[in-house]
Amino acid sequence: MPYPCITQPDRNTPLRLTLCLTKEECGLVLPFVKRALKAAQRKYDKCIFQVPIGGTATDKQKKAIIKAKDNLDRLKELHYHLDSLA
């Protein structure tokens, strides 16, 4: 059964809320994370391809690219950890 846990690696870092899962729960969550990862990759690619070749991105496009990249990176990290446990 998943449960939240408050962790702090050392005294100099802030407290973090962590969700603890068993191996079976990681296996159950993994397909949903894979689906979200594919959607995030498509979103990031769409943001990148909207910038004209040889041109510069507008501020709105830059913000969208950064947001999509951050989301993609977080999902890749989550997928990596879930995949290594499952």
Side-chain angles (χ1 to χ4, degrees):
M1 177 171 185
Y3 62 93
C5 179
I6 296 176
T7 59
Q8 185 177 22
D10 58 35
R11 291 183 161 263
N12 297 328
T13 59
L15 292 172
R16 293 187 297 198
L17 183 63
T18 306
L19 182 64
C20 301
L21 301 171
T22 64
K23 285 186 178 188
E24 293 81 18
E25 291 164 341
C26 288
L28 291 173
V29 172
L30 192 58
F32 297 104
V33 172
K34 285 182 182 179
R35 194 175 319 142
L37 182 61
K38 286 180 184 178
Q41 183 67 51
R42 284 193 304 267
K43 174 77 173 176
Y44 176 70
D45 292 342
K46 181 181 174 184
C47 289
I48 291 293
F49 291 128
Q50 286 180 347
V51 178
I53 297 174
T56 58
T58 63
D59 289 338
K60 186 177 179 180
Q61 288 173 328
K62 288 177 186 177
K63 288 178 184 176
I65 290 170
I66 290 169
K67 184 177 177 182
K69 180 66 174 162
D70 289 343
N71 189 24
L72 180 63
D73 290 342
R74 278 190 243 113
L75 282 169
K76 280 183 179 180
E77 183 179 356
L78 178 61
H79 179 264
Y80 171 77
H81 291 296
L82 286 174
D83 198 33
S84 66
L85 293 174

